[in-house]
Amino acid sequence: VQLQASGGGLVQAGGSLRLSCVASGGTFSNSVMGWFRQAPGKGREFVAHIRWAVGQMSCADSVKGRFTISRVNARNTVYLQMNNLEPEDTAVYFCAAATRYSSDEMSYTRTAQYDYWGQGTQVTVSS
């Protein structure tokens, strides 16, 4: 299984970026796909996740109303649309796939639930 993240870059505060994550080498129809981020000196933080099969999604409170997660099944691709970016959004963004089912929805906000990780893409927001 491979997850290839792209789309990061340098943007001014208030700007937008769209991250992409292409999944390959496996079957993801029953997976939950997540985006996490890690700022310098901090732990990896949940951003958003989406259930591949039904499109049900959830976002962290810190990005709600600004970030949107979506997927295109035919392309095996998950997107993170990030609008109204703030300097505090500066981090390396990682996509991840959770293939093990959990009845605890909150588990999908934790890194331990995810089996596969992409390489990360840097997002830098200048003030």
Side-chain angles (χ1 to χ4, degrees):
V1 173
Q2 286 191 330
L3 302 177
Q4 183 70 40
S6 62
L10 173 63
V11 64
Q12 287 188 332
S16 297
L17 284 172
R18 188 178 77 160
L19 306 184
S20 301
C21 176
V22 179
S24 62
T27 302
F28 302 96
S29 57
N30 294 319
S31 298
V32 171
M33 303 298 293
W35 284 100
F36 289 75
R37 66 187 182 185
Q38 188 164 14
K42 295 189 177 181
R44 201 161 291 191
E45 172 191 33
F46 167 73
V47 176
H49 69 67
I50 187 167
R51 289 190 178 275
W52 201 291
V54 298
Q56 180 186 0
M57 64 193 78
S58 177
C59 291
D61 288 343
S62 59
V63 305
K64 204 163 288 185
R66 301 187 298 122
F67 291 12
T68 303
I69 188 171
S70 62
R71 89 273 188 249
V72 176
N73 290 353
R75 297 177 183 174
N76 265 12
T77 302
V78 176
Y79 300 98
L80 185 68
Q81 178 66 44
M82 306 186 295
N83 298 329
N84 196 19
L85 282 159
E86 302 169 353
E88 293 74 21
D89 296 317
T90 295
V92 177
Y93 284 70
F94 298 89
C95 63
T99 60
R100 295 167 289 131
Y101 172 76
S102 171
S103 60
D104 177 10
E105 192 66 22
M106 285 301 296
S107 70
Y108 294 105
T109 69
R110 295 187 281 268
T111 58
Q113 185 63 35
Y114 292 81
D115 309 294
Y116 303 100
W117 291 84
Q119 84 287 5
T121 184
Q122 176 71 47
V123 172
T124 303
V125 184
S126 63
S127 57

